[in-house]
Amino acid sequence: MTALSTPEYDVVVVGAGPAGASAAAAVGKQGVNVLLVDSKSIPGTPVQCAEYVPRIVKKYVSLPPEAVVQKIDTLLTFINDELVSTLAGPGYILDRKIFDGSLVQDAIESGTEFWAGTKAVSKTNEGLIVHQAGKDNQEIKSKIIIGADGPRSIVGQWMNSENKKFMIGLQYRLPLCKYQSSTDIYFKPEYEGGYAWVFPKGEYANIGVGVNTLYKNKLPLIIKDFINNLVARGIVVDDRPIEKTGGLIPVGGPLEVTQRENMLLTGDAAGHTHPVTGGGIMNAIVTGRMAGAIAAQAVINNDLTMLSQYPQTWQSFLGRYLNRATQQRNEMDHKWTYDAQQFEELIRNNWFSFN
Protein backbone atom coordinates (compact mmCIF):
# COMPACT_ATOMS: atom_id res chain seq x y z
CA MET A 1 0.00 0.00 0.00
CA THR A 2 1.44 3.38 -1.01
CA ALA A 3 1.34 6.26 1.45
CA LEU A 4 -0.99 9.14 0.62
CA SER A 5 0.93 12.06 -0.83
CA THR A 6 0.90 15.40 1.02
CA PRO A 7 -1.41 17.88 -0.76
CA GLU A 8 0.35 21.01 -1.99
CA TYR A 9 -1.04 24.48 -2.58
CA ASP A 10 0.45 27.84 -3.41
CA VAL A 11 -1.73 29.58 -0.81
CA VAL A 12 -3.77 28.28 2.13
CA VAL A 13 -6.35 30.64 3.65
CA VAL A 14 -7.42 29.83 7.20
CA GLY A 15 -10.95 31.05 7.93
CA ALA A 16 -13.85 31.35 5.48
CA GLY A 17 -15.58 34.48 6.76
CA PRO A 18 -15.73 37.65 4.63
CA ALA A 19 -11.96 38.25 4.91
CA GLY A 20 -10.88 34.69 4.13
CA ALA A 21 -13.38 34.06 1.33
CA SER A 22 -12.47 37.40 -0.27
CA ALA A 23 -8.76 36.58 0.01
CA ALA A 24 -9.22 33.13 -1.53
CA ALA A 25 -11.30 34.53 -4.40
CA ALA A 26 -8.62 37.15 -5.11
CA VAL A 27 -5.95 34.42 -5.25
CA GLY A 28 -8.02 32.09 -7.39
CA LYS A 29 -8.94 34.81 -9.89
CA GLN A 30 -5.24 35.18 -10.70
CA GLY A 31 -4.98 31.48 -11.52
CA VAL A 32 -3.02 30.60 -8.38
CA ASN A 33 -3.63 27.31 -6.57
CA VAL A 34 -5.48 28.06 -3.31
CA LEU A 35 -7.10 26.11 -0.48
CA LEU A 36 -9.64 27.69 1.89
CA VAL A 37 -10.28 25.94 5.21
CA ASP A 38 -12.77 26.74 7.96
CA SER A 39 -13.40 25.07 11.30
CA LYS A 40 -17.16 25.51 10.89
CA SER A 41 -19.19 23.07 8.83
CA ILE A 42 -21.27 25.99 7.46
CA PRO A 43 -19.58 29.41 7.03
CA GLY A 44 -21.39 32.29 8.71
CA THR A 45 -22.94 30.12 11.43
CA PRO A 46 -23.55 30.61 14.22
CA VAL A 47 -24.02 34.32 13.56
CA GLN A 48 -21.75 36.40 15.83
CA CYS A 49 -22.59 39.75 14.31
CA ALA A 50 -25.34 42.40 14.30
CA GLU A 51 -25.38 41.88 10.48
CA TYR A 52 -25.40 45.54 9.36
CA VAL A 53 -23.29 46.79 6.47
CA PRO A 54 -23.20 50.35 5.06
CA ARG A 55 -24.50 50.86 1.54
CA ILE A 56 -21.00 51.65 0.28
CA VAL A 57 -20.16 47.95 0.68
CA LYS A 58 -21.73 47.45 -2.76
CA LYS A 59 -18.71 49.25 -4.18
CA TYR A 60 -16.60 46.27 -3.10
CA VAL A 61 -18.86 43.23 -3.28
CA SER A 62 -22.12 42.18 -4.91
CA LEU A 63 -24.93 41.55 -2.45
CA PRO A 64 -27.17 38.67 -3.51
CA PRO A 65 -30.80 39.83 -3.13
CA GLU A 66 -31.57 36.83 -0.94
CA ALA A 67 -28.78 37.88 1.47
CA VAL A 68 -30.40 41.27 2.17
CA VAL A 69 -33.13 41.04 4.82
CA GLN A 70 -33.99 44.73 4.84
CA LYS A 71 -32.73 48.22 4.09
CA ILE A 72 -31.67 50.68 6.78
CA ASP A 73 -32.19 54.45 6.46
CA THR A 74 -30.98 56.05 9.68
CA LEU A 75 -28.83 55.56 12.76
CA LEU A 76 -30.33 56.70 16.05
CA THR A 77 -28.05 57.28 19.03
CA PHE A 78 -29.38 57.34 22.58
CA ILE A 79 -27.44 58.44 25.66
CA ASN A 80 -29.04 57.56 28.99
CA ASP A 81 -32.26 56.67 27.11
CA GLU A 82 -32.48 60.11 25.48
CA LEU A 83 -32.35 60.40 21.67
CA VAL A 84 -29.39 62.68 20.96
CA SER A 85 -28.61 62.05 17.28
CA THR A 86 -30.42 61.06 14.12
CA LEU A 87 -27.96 60.41 11.33
CA ALA A 88 -28.47 59.23 7.77
CA GLY A 89 -27.06 55.71 7.79
CA PRO A 90 -28.06 53.98 4.56
CA GLY A 91 -27.22 50.32 4.59
CA TYR A 92 -28.50 46.78 4.81
CA ILE A 93 -29.20 44.11 7.38
CA LEU A 94 -27.82 40.85 6.04
CA ASP A 95 -28.51 37.20 6.52
CA ARG A 96 -24.89 36.33 7.29
CA LYS A 97 -25.36 32.64 6.56
CA ILE A 98 -26.47 33.43 3.00
CA PHE A 99 -24.00 36.30 2.58
CA ASP A 100 -20.96 34.37 3.81
CA GLY A 101 -22.04 31.37 1.77
CA SER A 102 -22.18 33.55 -1.36
CA LEU A 103 -18.63 34.78 -0.74
CA VAL A 104 -17.37 31.22 -0.32
CA GLN A 105 -19.21 30.21 -3.49
CA ASP A 106 -17.54 33.09 -5.36
CA ALA A 107 -14.17 31.82 -4.11
CA ILE A 108 -14.97 28.29 -5.29
CA GLU A 109 -16.09 29.55 -8.71
CA SER A 110 -12.80 31.48 -8.87
CA GLY A 111 -10.85 28.23 -8.54
CA THR A 112 -10.59 27.82 -4.75
CA GLU A 113 -10.71 24.39 -3.15
CA PHE A 114 -12.78 24.57 0.05
CA TRP A 115 -12.57 22.28 3.06
CA ALA A 116 -15.31 22.87 5.64
CA GLY A 117 -15.03 21.52 9.17
CA THR A 118 -11.24 21.79 8.99
CA LYS A 119 -9.24 23.31 11.83
CA ALA A 120 -5.67 24.58 11.52
CA VAL A 121 -3.63 22.95 14.28
CA SER A 122 0.03 23.86 13.87
CA LYS A 123 2.58 25.30 11.49
CA THR A 124 5.31 23.26 9.83
CA ASN A 125 8.42 24.29 7.89
CA GLU A 126 6.61 23.57 4.63
CA GLY A 127 3.04 24.50 5.49
CA LEU A 128 0.61 23.52 8.22
CA ILE A 129 -1.20 20.66 9.97
CA VAL A 130 -5.01 20.56 9.88
CA HIS A 131 -7.58 18.41 11.62
CA GLN A 132 -10.98 17.23 10.39
CA ALA A 133 -13.42 15.54 12.76
CA GLY A 134 -13.06 11.77 12.76
CA LYS A 135 -9.82 11.86 10.79
CA ASP A 136 -6.12 11.86 11.54
CA ASN A 137 -4.24 15.15 11.41
CA GLN A 138 -3.10 15.97 7.91
CA GLU A 139 -0.12 17.93 6.68
CA ILE A 140 -0.57 20.43 3.86
CA LYS A 141 2.28 22.03 2.00
CA SER A 142 1.84 25.71 1.19
CA LYS A 143 4.07 28.56 0.08
CA ILE A 144 1.88 31.21 1.77
CA ILE A 145 -0.61 31.16 4.65
CA ILE A 146 -3.27 33.84 5.09
CA GLY A 147 -4.82 34.07 8.55
CA ALA A 148 -8.45 35.17 8.39
CA ASP A 149 -9.54 33.11 11.36
CA GLY A 150 -11.11 35.69 13.62
CA PRO A 151 -10.29 37.51 16.86
CA ARG A 152 -8.33 34.60 18.39
CA SER A 153 -6.40 33.71 15.26
CA ILE A 154 -4.13 30.66 15.39
CA VAL A 155 -2.16 32.12 12.47
CA GLY A 156 -1.71 35.22 14.61
CA GLN A 157 -0.30 32.98 17.33
CA TRP A 158 2.19 31.52 14.84
CA MET A 159 3.21 35.08 13.93
CA ASN A 160 3.39 36.18 17.57
CA SER A 161 0.92 38.93 16.63
CA GLU A 162 -2.39 38.64 18.47
CA ASN A 163 -5.33 40.80 19.47
CA LYS A 164 -5.13 41.65 23.17
CA LYS A 165 -8.08 43.96 23.76
CA PHE A 166 -11.69 42.94 23.23
CA MET A 167 -15.30 43.78 23.83
CA ILE A 168 -17.51 40.79 24.49
CA GLY A 169 -20.97 40.82 22.98
CA LEU A 170 -24.15 38.95 23.82
CA GLN A 171 -26.98 39.10 21.29
CA TYR A 172 -30.57 37.84 21.24
CA ARG A 173 -33.01 37.65 18.34
CA LEU A 174 -36.40 38.96 19.45
CA PRO A 175 -39.74 39.82 17.76
CA LEU A 176 -40.35 43.52 17.13
CA CYS A 177 -43.65 45.19 17.95
CA LYS A 178 -43.54 47.08 14.64
CA TYR A 179 -41.34 47.47 11.58
CA GLN A 180 -38.43 49.89 11.89
CA SER A 181 -35.84 51.11 9.40
CA SER A 182 -33.29 52.53 11.84
CA THR A 183 -30.38 50.95 13.65
CA ASP A 184 -30.48 52.11 17.27
CA ILE A 185 -27.44 52.50 19.53
CA TYR A 186 -27.74 52.99 23.28
CA PHE A 187 -25.02 54.31 25.57
CA LYS A 188 -25.23 54.07 29.34
CA PRO A 189 -22.48 54.04 31.95
CA GLU A 190 -23.55 50.49 32.90
CA TYR A 191 -22.54 49.27 29.43
CA GLU A 192 -18.91 49.50 30.53
CA GLY A 193 -16.65 50.27 27.57
CA GLY A 194 -19.36 49.45 25.04
CA TYR A 195 -22.99 49.98 24.09
CA ALA A 196 -26.30 48.26 23.41
CA TRP A 197 -28.03 47.94 20.06
CA VAL A 198 -31.30 47.21 18.28
CA PHE A 199 -30.73 46.21 14.65
CA PRO A 200 -34.03 45.37 12.93
CA LYS A 201 -34.23 42.26 10.79
CA GLY A 202 -37.68 42.24 9.24
CA GLU A 203 -40.19 41.15 11.89
CA TYR A 204 -37.37 40.54 14.35
CA ALA A 205 -34.32 42.38 15.64
CA ASN A 206 -30.78 41.57 16.64
CA ILE A 207 -30.63 42.99 20.15
CA GLY A 208 -27.40 42.96 22.06
CA VAL A 209 -24.94 44.51 24.44
CA GLY A 210 -21.16 44.68 24.18
CA VAL A 211 -18.94 45.50 27.15
CA ASN A 212 -15.28 45.44 28.10
CA THR A 213 -14.27 41.84 28.80
CA LEU A 214 -13.53 42.80 32.43
CA TYR A 215 -17.31 42.98 32.90
CA LYS A 216 -18.30 39.81 31.05
CA ASN A 217 -19.87 38.26 34.16
CA LYS A 218 -22.34 41.16 34.36
CA LEU A 219 -23.38 40.81 30.71
CA PRO A 220 -26.40 38.45 31.13
CA LEU A 221 -27.92 40.76 33.73
CA ILE A 222 -27.16 43.89 31.66
CA ILE A 223 -28.85 42.52 28.55
CA LYS A 224 -31.83 41.34 30.63
CA ASP A 225 -32.33 44.87 31.96
CA PHE A 226 -31.93 46.34 28.47
CA ILE A 227 -34.52 44.01 26.97
CA ASN A 228 -36.97 44.63 29.84
CA ASN A 229 -36.66 48.33 29.06
CA LEU A 230 -37.37 47.67 25.36
CA VAL A 231 -40.45 45.60 26.26
CA ALA A 232 -41.74 48.37 28.54
CA ARG A 233 -41.29 50.91 25.74
CA GLY A 234 -43.16 48.76 23.22
CA ILE A 235 -40.16 48.11 20.97
CA VAL A 236 -40.01 44.33 21.33
CA VAL A 237 -42.87 41.95 22.05
CA ASP A 238 -41.31 40.00 24.90
CA ASP A 239 -38.02 38.86 26.41
CA ARG A 240 -38.01 35.29 25.05
CA PRO A 241 -35.16 35.02 22.54
CA ILE A 242 -35.52 32.97 19.38
CA GLU A 243 -31.74 32.75 19.12
CA LYS A 244 -28.78 33.60 21.33
CA THR A 245 -25.25 34.26 20.21
CA GLY A 246 -22.15 36.03 21.39
CA GLY A 247 -18.46 36.46 20.86
CA LEU A 248 -15.33 38.55 21.11
CA ILE A 249 -14.83 41.77 19.15
CA PRO A 250 -11.26 43.08 18.77
CA VAL A 251 -11.16 46.74 19.82
CA GLY A 252 -7.44 47.34 20.31
CA GLY A 253 -6.92 48.69 16.81
CA PRO A 254 -4.94 47.15 13.95
CA LEU A 255 -2.05 44.90 14.91
CA GLU A 256 1.45 46.26 14.35
CA VAL A 257 2.53 43.03 12.62
CA THR A 258 0.25 41.75 9.84
CA GLN A 259 2.98 40.11 7.75
CA ARG A 260 5.73 37.84 8.99
CA GLU A 261 7.75 35.43 6.85
CA ASN A 262 5.23 33.70 4.54
CA MET A 263 2.14 34.64 6.59
CA LEU A 264 -0.42 37.46 6.38
CA LEU A 265 -3.28 38.47 8.70
CA THR A 266 -6.53 40.04 7.54
CA GLY A 267 -9.94 41.02 8.93
CA ASP A 268 -10.63 40.42 12.63
CA ALA A 269 -7.41 38.39 12.89
CA ALA A 270 -5.47 41.55 12.02
CA GLY A 271 -7.53 43.84 14.29
CA HIS A 272 -9.17 45.46 11.28
CA THR A 273 -12.46 45.97 13.14
CA HIS A 274 -13.41 49.52 14.09
CA PRO A 275 -12.21 49.92 17.71
CA VAL A 276 -15.25 51.97 18.79
CA THR A 277 -18.15 50.49 16.82
CA GLY A 278 -16.77 46.97 16.50
CA GLY A 279 -17.91 46.90 12.86
CA GLY A 280 -15.68 44.95 10.53
CA ILE A 281 -17.43 43.28 7.59
CA MET A 282 -16.45 45.81 4.93
CA ASN A 283 -12.89 46.16 6.26
CA ALA A 284 -12.59 42.38 6.20
CA ILE A 285 -13.66 42.17 2.56
CA VAL A 286 -11.32 44.95 1.45
CA THR A 287 -8.23 43.78 3.37
CA GLY A 288 -8.92 40.17 2.44
CA ARG A 289 -8.83 41.09 -1.23
CA MET A 290 -5.60 43.01 -0.71
CA ALA A 291 -3.98 40.05 1.05
CA GLY A 292 -5.12 37.63 -1.64
CA ALA A 293 -4.00 39.81 -4.53
CA ILE A 294 -0.53 40.36 -3.04
CA ALA A 295 -0.14 36.67 -2.16
CA ALA A 296 -1.06 35.69 -5.71
CA GLN A 297 1.49 38.08 -7.19
CA ALA A 298 4.17 36.77 -4.85
CA VAL A 299 3.49 33.25 -6.15
CA ILE A 300 3.32 34.31 -9.80
CA ASN A 301 6.64 36.16 -9.48
CA ASN A 302 8.18 33.44 -7.30
CA ASP A 303 9.14 36.17 -4.84
CA LEU A 304 7.79 35.90 -1.31
CA THR A 305 9.47 39.18 -0.35
CA MET A 306 6.55 40.82 -2.18
CA LEU A 307 4.39 39.91 0.84
CA SER A 308 6.03 42.83 2.66
CA GLN A 309 3.90 45.14 0.47
CA TYR A 310 0.74 44.06 2.29
CA PRO A 311 0.97 46.13 5.52
CA GLN A 312 1.56 49.35 3.62
CA THR A 313 -1.25 48.52 1.19
CA TRP A 314 -3.96 48.12 3.82
CA GLN A 315 -2.56 51.01 5.90
CA SER A 316 -2.81 53.39 2.95
CA PHE A 317 -6.53 52.56 2.77
CA LEU A 318 -7.53 52.10 6.42
CA GLY A 319 -4.61 53.25 8.55
CA ARG A 320 -5.60 56.82 9.42
CA TYR A 321 -9.25 55.84 9.92
CA LEU A 322 -8.46 52.96 12.29
CA ASN A 323 -5.70 54.80 14.13
CA ARG A 324 -8.04 57.70 14.87
CA ALA A 325 -10.69 55.26 16.09
CA THR A 326 -8.09 53.55 18.30
CA GLN A 327 -7.35 56.89 19.97
CA GLN A 328 -11.08 57.39 20.53
CA ARG A 329 -11.41 53.89 22.02
CA ASN A 330 -8.52 54.55 24.40
CA GLU A 331 -10.05 57.85 25.51
CA MET A 332 -13.41 56.17 26.15
CA ASP A 333 -11.78 53.45 28.22
CA HIS A 334 -9.66 55.85 30.26
CA LYS A 335 -12.42 58.40 30.91
CA TRP A 336 -15.48 56.12 31.28
CA THR A 337 -17.58 57.61 34.06
CA TYR A 338 -20.93 57.33 35.85
CA ASP A 339 -21.28 61.13 36.00
CA ALA A 340 -24.17 61.79 33.57
CA GLN A 341 -22.88 65.06 32.12
CA GLN A 342 -19.28 63.89 31.77
CA PHE A 343 -20.46 60.61 30.26
CA GLU A 344 -22.54 62.35 27.60
CA GLU A 345 -19.60 64.60 26.75
CA LEU A 346 -17.31 61.56 26.45
CA ILE A 347 -19.66 59.81 24.01
CA ARG A 348 -20.20 62.99 21.97
CA ASN A 349 -16.42 63.39 21.67
CA ASN A 350 -15.80 59.84 20.48
CA TRP A 351 -18.87 58.34 18.79
CA PHE A 352 -18.86 58.93 15.03
CA SER A 353 -22.41 60.37 14.92
CA PHE A 354 -21.03 63.56 16.45
CA ASN A 355 -17.76 63.86 14.49
Side-chain angles (χ1 to χ4, degrees):
M1 181 183 292
T2 57
L4 292 173
S5 60
T6 303
E8 293 187 37
Y9 298 89
D10 294 317
V11 180
V12 172
V13 181
V14 180
S22 298
V27 175
K29 284 172 181 174
Q30 295 196 52
V32 172
N33 189 15
V34 55
L35 171 67
L36 175 64
V37 303
D38 195 279
S39 59
K40 298 174 183 176
S41 55
I42 302 173
T45 61
V47 173
Q48 294 177 299
C49 166
E51 300 183 288
Y52 169 82
V53 289
R55 189 167 63 190
I56 195 173
V57 76
K58 294 181 79 172
K59 180 178 178 181
Y60 303 102
V61 67
S62 61
L63 291 179
E66 62 273 19
V68 177
V69 180
Q70 75 164 79
K71 291 183 178 180
I72 295 296
D73 300 321
T74 53
L75 168 71
L76 307 184
T77 301
F78 297 80
I79 300 177
N80 291 321
D81 289 327
E82 181 184 348
L83 178 62
V84 292
S85 169
T86 301
L87 187 73
Y92 308 96
I93 299 293
L94 302 177
D95 182 315
R96 278 293 301 273
K97 181 179 176 182
I98 295 175
F99 177 67
D100 286 26
S102 73
L103 293 178
V104 171
Q105 188 58 38
D106 178 53
I108 291 169
E109 290 173 1
S110 302
T112 300
E113 188 174 339
F114 176 52
W115 294 3
T118 303
K119 185 176 181 178
V121 175
S122 60
K123 189 177 184 300
T124 67
N125 289 335
E126 294 185 305
L128 68 162
I129 304 288
V130 300
H131 178 75
Q132 292 176 306
K135 296 183 180 180
D136 293 335
N137 286 357
Q138 182 172 10
E139 182 179 0
I140 299 170
K141 291 182 179 179
S142 180
K143 296 172 184 173
I144 297 169
I145 298 169
I146 297 177
D149 48 336
R152 294 284 199 188
S153 166
I154 191 168
V155 181
Q157 292 176 31
W158 300 342
M159 292 172 59
N160 194 28
S161 182
E162 301 175 67
N163 292 301
K164 303 292 186 188
K165 189 174 182 179
F166 303 92
M167 276 201 307
I168 184 165
L170 184 59
Q171 178 172 277
Y172 295 174
R173 188 166 169 239
L174 291 164
L176 285 167
C177 290
K178 60 182 180 181
Y179 178 85
Q180 74 174 64
S181 60
S182 65
T183 50
D184 301 348
I185 299 294
Y186 294 80
F187 287 98
K188 282 186 174 181
E190 304 91 274
Y191 310 152
E192 298 268 4
Y195 60 86
W197 63 87
V198 178
F199 281 24
K201 193 175 179 181
E203 297 177 5
Y204 301 91
N206 291 329
I207 292 170
V209 180
V211 297
N212 185 301
T213 50
L214 293 173
Y215 303 94
K216 63 181 180 181
N217 292 336
K218 295 182 179 180
L219 198 48
L221 185 59
I222 292 171
I223 195 171
K224 185 173 185 290
D225 289 344
F226 178 55
I227 291 169
N228 287 342
N229 182 267
L230 295 177
V231 172
R233 291 167 55 201
I235 293 172
V236 297
V237 176
D238 56 45
D239 62 353
R240 292 173 293 179
I242 297 158
E243 292 176 355
K244 290 185 181 182
T245 186
L248 292 173
I249 307 157
V251 293
L255 297 178
E256 287 187 19
V257 177
T258 54
Q259 179 267 325
R260 177 162 281 153
E261 298 171 351
N262 67 331
M263 296 175 286
L264 305 176
L265 293 177
T266 180
D268 287 12
H272 285 152
T273 46
H274 190 284
V276 177
T277 71
I281 296 175
M282 193 167 75
N283 292 355
I285 291 167
V286 173
T287 61
R289 284 189 178 176
M290 291 173 174
I294 288 169
Q297 283 302 305
V299 171
I300 290 168
N301 290 281
N302 195 28
D303 181 6
L304 295 191
T305 65
M306 293 180 70
L307 297 178
S308 65
Q309 298 172 12
Y310 170 66
Q312 186 177 354
T313 303
W314 72 253
Q315 285 167 5
S316 67
F317 185 77
L318 284 173
R320 285 184 64 189
Y321 167 72
L322 290 181
N323 290 337
R324 168 68 177 141
T326 303
Q327 293 172 0
Q328 292 172 318
R329 158 58 59 187
N330 290 337
E331 182 174 345
M332 288 176 70
D333 287 343
H334 290 142
K335 296 183 179 179
W336 199 269
T337 175
Y338 274 68
D339 179 281
Q341 186 175 344
Q342 291 178 8
F343 180 74
E344 180 168 346
E345 184 179 334
L346 179 68
I347 301 306
R348 286 180 176 274
N349 284 342
N350 295 288
W351 181 247
F352 69 92
S353 294
F354 306 104
N355 287 285

